[in-house]
Amino acid sequence: MICIAGKNNIAVEITEYLQVLGYTNICVVLNSTDDGVDSFQRSFKKYALQKNIPIKTLEEVYKIKDLIFLSLEFNKIVAPEKFLTKQIYNIHFSLLPKYKGMYTSYWPIRNGEKTTGVTLHRIAKGIDTGDIIAQEEFEIEIFDTCKDVYLNYIKYGIALIKKYLPKILRNEIICKPQKSNESTYYGRNSVNYQDICIDLIDTANGINNQIRALVFRDFQLPQINGKKVTHCLITEEVSKEKPGTILEEQKWYYKISTIDYNLLVYKDAFEYILELCRLGESEKLQWFIENGYNMNDQNSKGWTPIIVAAYHGQYEVVKRLIEHGVCVNKTNYNGTTPLMYAKDYAFSTNDFKTVQLLFKCGAGISQKDYNNKSLKDYICEQYDDDKFNYFFDKLYQ
Ligand code: TYD
């Protein structure tokens, strides 16, 4: 039997993958925090219930013989000596031996690291201490936020497990001990999210890292002077005023003096950006694009700017967003694609320009949402097969 213990898309997608490979002898252990509702990550509990996969407690799986135990963002410390099996593995979101413990999307950014990565390792007694099986490194880009790094961990973690799953299943794992001299650890109290403050007595780069490390819209945004902020731009102006002085406040940004260079800190404008997309205000949107606002960001429903523009048939906005490089297949938190959103406008107005543009720029038509339904399923459900054929013909016009 294979047990997947954990949460989020990594636990869901690996369980899904095992099922696709034909494994039926699967059970899951859930995190206590999983409330069964999809958010920016899918709920593993909801998935397991939907697919009728047996849900067990950790105490129950300890006693299963011939078990493979895979911990994927599992939030309990497991006791390897209690298992009847030796095949117990974890994916840790860092390049072990560095960044053992928690907040591994926060600390590498805060510390100005240029890269981080994921580690597949055996679970030993202790926190993230077991022998290393494999690692995959990725870059932390200069504008990456905590959420970007976390989503990369999920993506690279899924790929690493898929790569090593055949070896895990055949019990052909080779591993090596962790080096002691490079090991670091951050515990539960190393970040206090209830009392976030940005220390403005820092270099421009330091403040930038503090802000990026806290930007995770689904949890919080950092604040300066009572206003939520999302990103910074380091100017070439040498700071002459006392560090931390607010030199200028404009509607969407502050200019702040620091230990070295003046810094532009931009205020959160995401709801306004979605409004501009709804209304088709592409010229006004341009200022936000040019000033570094994240056009792939998502609100609490997972709506991106392109989803909102597509739903309202705002062709010019969709075009501008695509030219800027946004992802045309990024879904909302139910797996609904921009093209699925665009179809209603197309049918109600018989204006297929936005649909055609999305398709031409790489929007997938066979992608399924989390209810396992594709665009075709929805069109056929709502209308009929002829309507889908009509839609399909329009794509190629
Ligand atoms: P979490 O899933 O709790 O895992 P971990 O602490 O082991 O990384 O959190 C994922 C990331 O989300 C974490 O690395 C930092 C960030 N985060 C916040 O920004 N705010 C919060 O309140 C929490 C709990 C996490």
Side-chain angles (χ1 to χ4, degrees):
M1 173 170 276
I2 304 173
C3 175
I4 306 291
K7 67 169 180 181
N8 289 354
N9 291 10
I10 190 162
V12 173
E13 287 193 31
I14 293 302
T15 309
E16 213 162 36
Y17 184 67
L18 283 166
Q19 289 174 313
V20 170
L21 291 182
Y23 282 87
T24 46
N25 206 6
I26 305 172
C27 70
V28 307
V29 181
L30 302 173
N31 284 13
S32 49
T33 48
D34 194 332
D35 56 7
V37 179
D38 291 330
S39 63
F40 81 102
Q41 291 290 296
R42 294 175 71 180
S43 159
F44 192 37
K45 182 178 181 176
K46 180 177 168 185
Y47 179 80
L49 289 172
Q50 245 173 14
K51 301 282 173 184
N52 279 321
I53 303 172
I55 298 172
K56 297 195 181 289
T57 64
L58 189 55
E59 295 301 324
E60 283 170 336
V61 299
Y62 280 150
K63 298 187 194 107
I64 302 175
K65 269 198 228 157
D66 300 322
L67 179 77
I68 297 174
F69 181 85
L70 204 48
S71 145
L72 304 172
E73 287 301 88
F74 188 48
N75 68 352
K76 279 198 195 117
I77 293 181
V78 303
E81 71 282 3
K82 288 193 184 170
F83 279 96
L84 291 182
T85 179
K86 295 256 178 295
Q87 290 179 265
I88 44 176
Y89 309 103
N90 178 46
I91 283 272
H92 182 69
F93 286 174
S94 84
L95 289 176
L96 288 173
K98 285 185 180 170
Y99 297 103
K100 291 177 166 63
M102 294 187 61
Y103 313 128
T104 61
S105 316
Y106 174 93
W107 280 111
I109 298 181
R110 186 77 168 80
N111 293 340
E113 302 280 1
K114 298 281 177 282
T115 65
T116 183
V118 290
T119 304
L120 174 63
H121 66 97
R122 280 190 183 277
I123 298 180
K125 216 167 179 306
I127 301 170
D128 307 321
T129 50
D131 291 356
I132 294 174
I133 298 161
Q135 297 188 301
E136 188 74 44
E137 189 171 9
F138 61 84
E139 284 186 15
I140 301 176
E141 308 283 351
I142 46 166
F143 292 114
D144 278 352
T145 64
C146 185
K147 182 170 178 176
D148 295 320
V149 170
Y150 187 75
L151 294 181
N152 268 334
Y153 281 138
I154 297 274
K155 185 174 104 185
Y156 281 86
I158 290 171
L160 193 64
I161 303 204
K162 284 187 177 173
K163 186 169 163 192
Y164 278 84
L165 210 49
K167 285 194 173 140
I168 289 177
L169 294 169
R170 292 198 300 265
N171 199 10
E172 286 172 359
I173 287 303
I174 299 167
C175 50
K176 57 173 194 289
Q178 295 189 32
K179 285 184 193 157
S180 58
N181 57 346
E182 287 166 17
S183 185
T184 58
Y185 166 76
Y186 290 93
R188 185 172 299 281
N189 297 327
S190 64
V191 185
N192 179 3
Y193 288 104
Q194 307 315 314
D195 182 24
I196 301 163
C197 56
I198 304 291
D199 179 6
L200 295 177
I201 316 300
D202 198 345
T203 60
N205 181 48
I207 297 171
N208 186 21
N209 289 345
Q210 289 185 58
I211 289 175
R212 291 192 305 134
L214 286 166
V215 172
F216 203 135
R217 185 176 295 282
D218 311 84
F219 287 116
Q220 77 281 309
L221 290 177
Q223 298 198 6
I224 288 183
N225 242 9
K227 304 242 171 69
K228 288 179 181 165
V229 297
T230 54
H231 62 288
C232 309
L233 195 79
I234 301 172
T235 72
E236 289 177 1
E237 296 167 20
V238 173
S239 291
K240 297 200 174 64
E241 302 291 324
K242 210 165 135 241
T245 309
I246 297 185
L247 304 169
E248 197 182 316
E249 177 170 2
Q250 297 289 345
K251 185 157 194 289
W252 294 116
Y253 65 88
Y254 298 108
K255 189 190 268 189
I256 295 172
S257 73
T258 74
I259 293 285
D260 48 17
Y261 294 99
N262 289 344
L263 186 68
L264 298 180
V265 185
Y266 289 88
K267 299 176 194 171
D268 180 31
F270 197 57
E271 283 308 315
Y272 184 64
I273 287 171
L274 293 186
E275 187 67 0
L276 294 178
C277 293
R278 185 174 75 81
L279 298 171
E281 297 273 12
S282 56
E283 292 308 318
K284 284 190 184 157
L285 188 67
Q286 189 60 27
W287 186 88
F288 293 93
I289 292 176
E290 281 167 9
N291 282 274
Y293 279 84
N294 177 5
M295 294 293 149
N296 281 313
D297 210 350
Q298 294 177 281
N299 73 2
S300 58
K301 296 185 177 119
W303 296 355
T304 57
I306 199 167
I307 282 180
V308 172
Y311 182 65
H312 291 94
Q314 297 294 0
Y315 174 84
E316 286 302 327
V317 172
V318 171
K319 187 161 165 266
R320 198 164 288 222
L321 289 168
I322 292 174
E323 278 163 8
H324 175 62
V326 306
C327 181
V328 288
N329 286 310
K330 185 159 178 165
T331 69
N332 76 355
Y333 295 160
N334 291 320
T336 314
T337 65
L339 194 59
M340 290 178 188
Y341 273 103
K343 76 150 189 348
D344 292 316
Y345 179 87
F347 281 133
S348 63
T349 59
N350 207 28
D351 170 4
F352 283 79
K353 257 172 78 184
T354 306
V355 157
Q356 285 157 344
L357 176 66
L358 284 166
F359 183 63
K360 200 177 91 196
C361 296
I365 49 166
S366 49
Q367 207 166 316
K368 289 190 171 175
D369 68 6
Y370 302 159
N371 295 315
N372 207 27
K373 287 187 179 170
S374 66
L375 188 65
K376 181 175 182 184
D377 295 328
Y378 283 111
I379 296 176
C380 294
E381 235 173 56
Q382 225 172 324
Y383 310 97
D384 50 36
D385 283 14
D386 285 349
K387 201 80 167 173
F388 178 72
N389 292 335
Y390 178 71
F391 182 87
F392 200 74
D393 287 345
K394 283 278 180 195
L395 291 181
Y396 288 96
Q397 274 178 17

